[in-house]
Amino acid sequence: MTPTVGQQVVDLRLDRRALRAERARVAWWRRLVRARLDLAVASVSGPGPLGEDVAFHLPVDVGVHVPRPSELGVVLAGADPAAELARVNELRDLDSRLAVYLAGVDEALQTTTNRLVSHLAGSPGATLAAIAELPGRG
């Protein structure tokens, strides 16, 4: 039996919800991988100290808050530069694979959204009636 327009709309809304949740998870993992990559690179190259090149261009009340290099170095404490360097390619590959997956999720979400809009535009009266009959509605 072919689902009614209302049921198709409900199914598409559920599909979109699942795809949006998956997109959020993938984006979260990409942020973590990129942050880990930044830490790996920083442990090898060591970012420069803050404030030295601009000390005379900043108001005194701003300049007094710049952290010392030893304070910032705590962020990278315990990192083995050789081990971190070895992970850079692995992390870049992982980020690249996540980017491809994210693009696929985005495409599926867009396709589902287009189908939902098409159903809503094709028979708005039937769709609204079906949605009004859903449990917890009306």
Side-chain angles (χ1 to χ4, degrees), residues 6-20 109 112 116 120 127 131-132 134 137:
Q7 185 59 50
Q8 290 171 344
V9 168
V10 169
D11 291 345
L12 288 169
R13 289 177 67 203
L14 292 173
D15 291 348
R16 286 190 74 245
R17 181 179 298 154
L19 287 165
R20 285 192 320 266
L109 179 58
T112 302
L116 177 62
L120 292 172
T127 300
I131 290 174
L134 291 174
R137 299 273 186 181

Side-chain angles (χ1 to χ4, degrees), residues 30-65:
R30 279 202 77 197
R31 283 192 309 272
L32 288 177
V33 168
R34 288 176 176 175
R36 189 64 186 84
L37 185 57
D38 286 347
L39 285 172
V41 170
S43 71
V44 173
S45 64
L50 295 174
E52 289 181 354
D53 297 334
V54 296
F56 296 106
H57 303 288
L58 295 173
V60 174
D61 60 330
V62 172
V64 297
H65 294 287

Side-chain angles (χ1 to χ4, degrees), residues 6-133:
Q7 185 59 50
Q8 290 171 344
V9 168
V10 169
D11 291 345
L12 288 169
R13 289 177 67 203
L14 292 173
D15 291 348
R16 286 190 74 245
R17 181 179 298 154
L19 287 165
R20 285 192 320 266
E22 183 69 1
R23 187 188 193 297
R25 284 188 295 271
V26 176
W28 183 79
W29 277 108
R30 279 202 77 197
R31 283 192 309 272
L32 288 177
V33 168
R34 288 176 176 175
R36 189 64 186 84
L37 185 57
D38 286 347
L39 285 172
V41 170
S43 71
V44 173
S45 64
L50 295 174
E52 289 181 354
D53 297 334
V54 296
F56 296 106
H57 303 288
L58 295 173
V60 174
D61 60 330
V62 172
V64 297
H65 294 287
V66 66
R68 291 185 302 275
S70 61
E71 294 173 300
L72 294 171
V74 172
V75 174
L76 300 174
D80 175 15
E84 295 299 321
L85 185 59
R87 298 206 58 210
V88 167
N89 288 336
E90 174 188 341
L91 291 166
R92 285 184 179 154
D93 177 62
L94 184 56
D95 183 53
S96 176
R97 290 175 33 221
L98 284 167
V100 170
Y101 180 62
L102 180 60
V105 171
D106 282 343
E107 185 177 330
L109 179 58
Q110 186 61 50
T111 299
T112 302
T113 300
N114 291 344
R115 289 178 54 212
L116 177 62
V117 169
S118 178
H119 279 292
L120 292 172
S123 48
T127 300
L128 289 174
I131 290 174
E133 294 175 9

